[in-house]
Amino acid sequence: MKRVFSGVKPTGHLTLGNYLGAMRQWASVDQHRADALFCVVDLHALTVEHDPARVRRLSRQTATLLLAAGLDPELCTLFVQSHVDEHARLSYLLECVATDGEMRRMIQYKEKAARERTRGGSVRLSLLTYPVLMAADILAYGTDEVPVGDDQAQHVELARDLALRFNQRYGQVFVVPRATLPTVAARVMNLQEPTSKMGKSDDSGPGIVYLLDEPDVVRRKIARAVTDSGRDVVYDREGRPGVANLLEILAACTGGDPESLGGAYESYGALKKDTAEAVVEALRPLQARHKELCADPAYVEAVLGEGARKARAIARPVVDAAYRAIGLLPPLADPVLNAVR
């Protein structure tokens, strides 16, 4: 079986975009077709100013929502990044292979660094180097495919470049991965700014549907969604982004086609009403399962513990091989350390 790896950063509450663009496909497709690993990438949440208690709380919530969305620990491996030391171990080796120019060309670094400077804050070094940590996340597991949104494809390309460069210089250690893009609702857009992605780290609450929003809150947010000039409902991603976003959300929730759905409506109001109800119904089972899991935190902890054990068993031989290949001495035998491992 091919190996698939993907992760979610606990920097905000998960959104409808996270679910329709990634989580649903992980649960319905990826965990059934591949040896799949899914990770709460909490180390990536430290690249900007953060509240430690909030990161811990969101990490647990993210893991719980992934289970609620349908990830099955009998079919896949679910774990927290910081629970597996190999991520940090490999990241430094890859920093010794990456270049400063590669890091500074990363689009997300440019955007996030600019926002931080605009706020008057300082840019952390980890914000510059986190694509290398992301590459380590991927390469440590011999990953074949990385299902990501198109905004993350550049980071998978970096992982490919670093794997090829390392293999060429030091010997064949890493599988060279490739990105796979979701075919439906790859990017759900902000309801108030339909040319911008519905991001969980956004401050624009009215434009974001969170997975744990109450049904009436979902209906209110969609009812207030920005549409476009004109009265007819047509699917035009470039010329009518607001309406296109609603049609894509409706199509993703109902299994329809955005263009065909556009011809079925004579008013924005009717489109918004049906879209809201489709989203409420799509989120209903997820929210019910989340409530059950929150009542059994020991189960979630057990899943994450076993997931970390399985992930560690896969990653350690790969990372140890990279350490040997790059020229580092193997550690001396330590009975106590070996017993812990």
Side-chain angles (χ1 to χ4, degrees), residues 207-285:
I208 303 171
V209 175
Y210 297 104
L211 295 187
L212 296 179
D213 277 347
E214 294 289 336
D216 284 346
V217 173
V218 173
R219 294 183 181 103
R220 186 162 57 249
K221 287 181 177 179
I222 293 178
R224 296 174 179 173
V226 170
T227 50
D228 310 287
S229 59
R231 308 178 74 132
D232 53 329
V233 179
V234 294
Y235 181 74
D236 179 357
R237 166 50 67 189
E238 297 300 321
R240 310 283 292 279
V243 172
N245 189 36
L246 292 173
L247 289 169
E248 288 183 350
I249 292 171
L250 178 60
C253 290
T254 61
D257 172 69
E259 291 193 28
S260 299
L261 287 169
Y265 291 93
E266 296 182 357
S267 71
Y268 293 157
L271 171 62
K272 288 180 176 182
K273 182 177 182 298
D274 282 1
T275 302
E277 293 308 316
V279 171
V280 167
E281 289 306 311
L283 296 183
R284 193 184 304 281

Side-chain angles (χ1 to χ4, degrees), residues 82-206:
S82 63
H83 293 175
V84 181
D85 293 345
E86 278 62 36
H87 292 257
R89 288 180 63 207
L90 181 55
S91 183
Y92 180 72
L93 292 197
L94 295 179
E95 284 186 13
C96 297
V97 177
T99 68
D100 175 76
E102 285 175 314
M103 297 300 98
R104 296 187 186 280
R105 284 194 295 271
M106 289 288 148
I107 295 171
Q108 289 208 356
Y109 167 72
K110 293 178 180 178
E111 293 175 349
K112 291 180 179 180
R115 284 200 298 268
E116 196 63 33
R117 293 189 184 100
T118 299
R119 296 190 189 108
S122 57
V123 179
R124 299 186 181 192
L125 179 60
S126 57
L127 186 62
L128 178 65
T129 60
Y130 91 89
V132 177
L133 176 58
M134 186 180 292
D137 299 337
I138 297 166
L139 299 181
Y141 296 99
T143 302
D144 297 294
E145 296 180 3
V146 188
V148 292
D150 54 6
D151 59 324
Q152 293 292 332
Q154 186 185 36
H155 291 149
V156 181
E157 285 302 310
L158 175 69
R160 288 175 56 84
D161 291 343
L162 295 181
L164 289 167
R165 192 177 306 156
F166 189 102
N167 290 347
Q168 184 179 38
R169 291 180 181 176
Y170 305 114
Q172 292 294 317
V173 172
F174 298 119
V175 173
V176 180
R178 68 183 183 90
T180 57
L181 304 179
T183 55
V184 179
R187 296 191 78 181
V188 176
M189 312 307 279
N190 190 297
L191 297 173
Q192 294 297 315
E193 300 174 30
T195 58
S196 300
K197 179 183 172 184
M198 186 184 284
K200 61 182 179 298
S201 303
D202 252 330
D203 296 327
S204 179

Side-chain angles (χ1 to χ4, degrees), residues 23-50:
M23 295 162 61
R24 187 174 62 171
Q25 177 169 306
W26 297 350
S28 64
V29 178
D30 293 328
Q31 68 175 344
H32 297 281
R33 70 176 180 87
D35 179 11
L37 297 100
F38 301 107
C39 183
V40 179
V41 287
D42 54 343
L43 295 176
H44 290 290
L46 311 184
T47 60
V48 294
E49 189 67 32
H50 63 277

Side-chain angles (χ1 to χ4, degrees), residues 3-72:
R3 180 161 291 151
V4 166
F5 176 94
S6 199
V8 182
K9 187 164 55 174
T11 51
H13 298 288
L14 293 181
T15 73
L16 181 66
N18 297 124
Y19 179 63
L20 296 180
M23 295 162 61
R24 187 174 62 171
Q25 177 169 306
W26 297 350
S28 64
V29 178
D30 293 328
Q31 68 175 344
H32 297 281
R33 70 176 180 87
D35 179 11
L37 297 100
F38 301 107
C39 183
V40 179
V41 287
D42 54 343
L43 295 176
H44 290 290
L46 311 184
T47 60
V48 294
E49 189 67 32
H50 63 277
D51 173 11
R54 186 170 187 266
V55 170
R56 284 190 290 270
R57 184 171 64 254
L58 288 175
S59 295
R60 178 180 293 277
Q61 183 187 87
T62 298
T64 305
L65 282 168
L66 288 171
L67 290 170
L71 292 189
D72 183 347

